[in-house]
Amino acid sequence: MRKMILGYVILILIPVIAFGYRYYTQTYGNLTQQFVESRQKILEQAYANLRTDLARIQSVHRMLQYNPYVTDYLDGVYETDADSIYAFIRYIRPLFSQSLFASPEIESLVVYKIKDGVLPISEQLLELSQLDPRMAEAVRSIKPGQGVWVRADPEVSDPELIYYQYIYNTQITEKIGLLEIRVRSSLIRHFYEAAGVEGNWEAFLLSEQGKPLIGGQTAAGPDDKTLRLLQSKNDTFFINRKTIVNQLFLGELGVRVVVTGQVGDVFHSIKRREIVLVTTIVLLLAGLSIAYYALASTITKRIFRLARHMRTLREDNFKPLVIKYDKMDEKDEIGFLTQTYNAMIRRMDELINNVHRAELRNKEAAYKVLQAQIKPHFLYNTLETIRMIAESHDDKEVADISFWFGKLMRYSLSPQNDETVLAREIEMVTFFLNIHKMRLQSRLTYEIEVSLDAEKVRCPRFLLQPLLENCIAHGTSTVLRSVHIRLSATETAAEIRITVSDNGSGIPPEKLQAIQERLARHDERNGEEQESGVGLVNVNERIRSYFGGASRLEIASKAGQGTTLCVIIAKEREPDDEDIDRGR
């Protein structure tokens, strides 16, 4: 159950929460980015409107510059004061009134005369000496045909604006006056409103040195971190944690306008929906988790019981698993698995008991056979005594056959494993052939050719002796001529071939076909084969069982020409069930 819960948390809960969080933050970031870009466009549009208003105010200069009454008055054309006053009242003052009416943002219009002979009148035509000394530097840098905007108070964020531009004579060769247009601070406030500065949004100006202008009726200025970012970043807009920052350079005023607002204030409605959404997801996930746990526990409970029962299985404990469940549970997959598992346990118990009883019977039979046999050591000593007596009488044949037979008996009766190497097996069949050659004399000849390292090839004991015995028993029994037996062992990259051939009487086609079919079908050996010892089918089965894969025994024969038996050992194979049982 702990693994199930841990798997649910790792595979479902954490990925869902991580994906949801990433999806939410990405979506929220995209919305915020789009909003900041839209705010920047609004700020740029508000600046475009401000430039339009400033251009409209600057057009007052063109109206005065190209009015002959104004240029004549400032150039000193009128000789008497009466003519000057008349021209001012009749032609010039209406221009001032019209300009103030057309642009309500203008607070005052003043022209400072430069020539001494010109009559100053009221507050609209003044001496140049009456110009504010603080504006003298800005006025001296004005180029012909251009004007300059000056902030009346450079330290406040919503200052009154002043526009200066020289008025020239009709030939545009001499300065005759300086136009001063004072604009109310409401123009900047209207610009802020058009830029969306309302509610919790704030706006302020930065000087060319990056110093905030915080006086007046606008914001108190940005926090230190935002100010450092503004001084270091050249981006027109960015987000400082939860603060949205838009900025734009106002070329006419030589300052940067900065508009700030809080992300939370912008997306307060989205925030409320976010809380509802997150709460819903958490509750839904919790409900689904509880439902999943309840459903999974009912399904996995029986699987856990089955797993616990499997861990308790031993050779002395093959009790079936007993689970109480209703009829519906019997029909599902787990019920079918439990029934099959119990059937397998009963079958394993039956097989193990049968095998155990068979082993006991085999041991009992082997014990009785051993009791009836001559003690091996006594037999070895007797054969050695016969060999020594034969040598003492110079009877070499008797001595050799006693030696060979003793070796065969030691190989056969020694308590070794069923495995050996091919070199020992070839050595033993050499003794076997020597004994038969002693008996058959010139009727039997043989040759052995080994072209591989027989010490490294493992094989079951008595693999080759039944094949040679078959050649001797069936190859020489029906012919009077000499029979030659050849044993060869060769090796390729894919297999090892051990061939035993003779030139005896051969096998009739019908009998050969029957033997080949039994070898292919893995049939048990027949009675005829049992009479001649361990039959060919038995050898074939031992080869397939020990080496596995494509390893096999093949037989080929022609009547009157001889028989060839070939043991094929495949090198590469996939382990089968028998190999696994034998621990190979």
Side-chain angles (χ1 to χ4, degrees):
M1 187 61 68
R2 289 194 299 269
K3 293 180 180 179
M4 183 185 69
I5 295 175
L6 181 62
Y8 171 77
V9 172
I10 295 177
L11 299 177
I12 298 178
L13 184 61
I14 294 178
V16 168
I17 294 178
F19 175 77
Y21 176 76
R22 180 175 177 79
Y23 179 78
Y24 168 76
T25 53
Q26 186 174 7
T27 304
Y28 186 78
N30 292 337
L31 290 176
T32 307
Q33 186 71 14
Q34 293 176 5
F35 179 80
V36 174
E37 293 177 358
S38 65
R39 292 286 306 188
Q40 185 67 26
K41 292 180 180 179
I42 293 175
L43 180 60
E44 293 174 356
Q45 182 62 41
Y47 177 49
N49 295 338
L50 175 64
R51 294 181 65 182
T52 301
D53 292 337
L54 295 178
R56 177 170 47 82
I57 295 173
Q58 292 175 203
S59 64
V60 174
H61 173 269
R62 290 192 298 273
M63 183 176 61
L64 297 178
Q65 174 68 60
Y66 297 106
N67 188 288
Y69 296 102
V70 175
T71 54
D72 289 347
Y73 185 91
L74 295 176
D75 199 17
V77 174
Y78 301 108
E79 296 179 353
T80 64
D81 292 342
D83 293 337
S84 298
I85 294 173
Y86 176 78
F88 174 79
I89 296 174
R90 180 69 178 83
Y91 300 107
I92 299 176
R93 177 179 289 179
L95 292 177
F96 281 76
S97 300
Q98 181 181 356
S99 299
L100 292 174
F101 178 79
S103 300
E105 301 90 355
I106 298 177
E107 182 179 1
S108 64
L109 282 175
V110 176
V111 176
Y112 294 95
K113 67 182 185 66
I114 296 178
K115 288 190 174 183
D116 295 334
V118 178
L119 177 68
I121 300 176
S122 69
E123 297 180 354
Q124 294 175 328
L125 291 174
L126 302 177
E127 295 285 348
L128 184 61
S129 60
Q130 293 180 269
L131 178 66
D132 190 344
R134 295 177 301 174
M135 305 301 172
E137 184 67 26
V139 169
R140 279 196 296 269
S141 61
I142 298 177
K143 297 180 180 180
Q146 296 181 356
V148 62
W149 284 95
V150 182
R151 302 189 303 277
D153 188 350
E155 301 300 325
V156 298
S157 188
D158 54 347
E160 294 182 354
L161 302 180
I162 305 175
Y163 180 73
Y164 290 100
Q165 187 170 359
Y166 283 106
I167 299 176
Y168 290 80
N169 57 13
T170 56
Q171 292 80 26
I172 315 299
T173 58
E174 182 183 7
K175 298 177 183 178
I176 58 177
L178 176 65
L179 173 64
E180 178 189 83
I181 305 175
R182 289 184 175 269
V183 180
R184 295 183 178 90
S185 61
S186 59
L187 181 65
I188 297 295
R189 288 196 291 270
H190 291 160
F191 165 71
Y192 290 154
E193 293 175 1
V197 180
E198 57 183 5
N200 293 328
W201 285 87
E202 298 178 348
F204 53 89
L205 300 179
L206 289 181
S207 64
E208 295 181 357
Q209 295 77 23
K211 180 181 178 181
L213 311 179
I214 58 176
Q217 300 178 358
T218 56
D223 57 84
D224 294 339
K225 186 173 183 180
T226 303
L227 182 59
R228 286 195 297 271
L229 291 175
L230 285 170
Q231 293 172 349
S232 60
K233 281 181 173 287
N234 294 324
D235 300 335
T236 55
F237 57 88
F238 59 90
I239 298 178
N240 176 23
R241 289 188 178 180
K242 299 298 182 179
T243 302
I244 297 175
V245 179
N246 295 88
Q247 60 176 330
L248 190 64
F249 182 73
L250 305 181
E252 290 79 2
L253 306 181
V255 294
R256 275 190 296 168
V257 60
V258 180
V259 180
T260 62
Q262 299 299 315
V263 177
D265 295 337
V266 176
F267 295 100
H268 57 276
S269 60
I270 297 179
K271 283 288 185 181
R272 288 196 297 269
R273 295 181 181 180
E274 170 193 342
I275 295 173
V276 174
L277 178 62
V278 171
T279 304
T280 303
I281 292 176
V282 170
L283 294 177
L284 181 60
L285 188 58
L288 291 176
S289 301
I290 295 174
Y292 168 82
Y293 175 79
L295 179 61
S297 61
T298 57
I299 296 175
T300 57
K301 186 181 296 181
R302 287 180 288 162
I303 297 179
F304 293 154
R305 290 180 182 176
L306 182 60
R308 286 196 298 267
H309 189 272
M310 288 181 177
R311 295 188 185 99
T312 60
L313 288 181
R314 297 187 302 273
E315 293 182 0
D316 58 345
N317 179 22
F318 282 96
K319 295 181 180 180
L321 175 62
V322 179
I323 300 179
K324 295 181 179 180
Y325 43 73
D326 54 28
K327 295 182 178 180
M328 293 298 295
D329 293 337
E330 293 181 2
K331 298 179 181 180
D332 62 8
E333 288 78 3
I334 301 177
F336 174 75
L337 178 62
T338 304
Q339 294 176 1
T340 306
Y341 171 72
N342 288 334
M344 181 187 68
I345 290 177
R346 286 190 287 268
R347 181 59 178 164
M348 289 174 59
D349 188 26
E350 180 181 353
L351 292 175
I352 290 177
N353 289 333
N354 292 340
V355 171
H356 184 63
R357 287 192 292 269
E359 289 180 353
L360 291 178
R361 287 195 298 268
N362 291 338
K363 289 181 180 180
E364 183 179 357
Y367 178 73
K368 291 180 179 180
V369 170
L370 289 175
Q371 284 183 332
Q373 290 178 343
I374 303 174
K375 295 296 184 179
H377 291 291
F378 177 73
L379 178 61
Y380 303 153
N381 294 334
T382 301
L383 291 174
E384 184 65 21
T385 301
I386 294 172
R387 188 181 68 83
M388 292 174 64
I389 294 174
E391 288 184 351
S392 65
H393 289 81
D394 292 330
D395 193 346
K396 189 175 186 318
E397 293 180 350
V398 176
D400 289 342
I401 200 170
S402 298
F403 175 74
W404 297 332
F405 185 66
K407 286 289 187 180
L408 285 174
M409 294 304 294
R410 286 181 183 274
Y411 186 72
S412 302
L413 299 178
S414 59
Q416 299 176 353
N417 295 331
D418 290 337
E419 291 186 359
T420 185
V421 293
L422 183 59
R424 301 287 80 76
E425 188 69 12
I426 293 175
E427 182 183 8
M428 290 302 109
V429 298
T430 304
F431 297 148
F432 179 77
L433 289 172
N434 288 337
I435 293 175
H436 281 283
K437 181 172 177 57
M438 189 72 71
R439 178 175 64 88
L440 298 174
Q441 295 299 322
S442 62
R443 289 186 59 203
L444 175 64
T445 61
Y446 70 89
E447 64 173 318
I448 298 176
E449 181 182 352
V450 179
S451 58
L452 53 83
D453 189 357
E455 292 287 348
K456 296 183 179 180
V457 181
R458 302 197 64 82
C459 63
R461 293 203 302 166
F462 303 107
L463 175 66
L464 302 180
Q465 183 176 339
L467 306 182
L468 292 167
E469 184 177 356
N470 184 80
C471 291
I472 294 173
H474 299 285
T476 63
S477 61
T478 58
V479 296
L480 297 177
R481 57 182 170 82
S482 176
V483 175
H484 182 73
I485 297 177
R486 185 176 186 275
L487 171 63
S488 65
T490 60
E491 181 179 14
T492 63
E495 61 186 17
I496 296 174
R497 285 180 173 263
I498 305 172
T499 305
V500 178
S501 60
D502 65 78
N503 59 348
S505 60
I507 303 174
E510 297 80 5
K511 186 176 180 180
L512 176 63
Q513 183 178 1
I515 294 174
Q516 290 175 340
E517 290 177 355
R518 287 197 298 273
L519 292 177
R521 294 197 305 265
H522 305 261
D523 285 352
E524 297 292 336
R525 57 181 182 270
N526 57 14
E528 182 181 354
E529 290 174 334
Q530 287 182 350
E531 293 176 358
S532 62
V534 181
L536 299 180
V537 177
N538 181 274
V539 175
N540 182 52
E541 291 302 314
R542 293 177 65 203
I543 293 171
R544 289 178 179 272
S545 176
Y546 185 86
F547 296 104
S551 301
R552 62 198 181 277
L553 172 65
E554 292 184 351
I555 180 172
S557 179
K558 290 185 179 181
Q561 296 184 13
T563 303
T564 299
L565 299 171
C566 183
V567 177
I568 301 175
I569 302 173
K571 290 185 177 180
E572 297 182 358
R573 62 186 180 87
E574 296 181 357
D576 51 19
D577 295 339
E578 294 180 1
D579 296 330
I580 296 173
D581 294 339
R582 294 169 53 205
R584 287 178 62 82

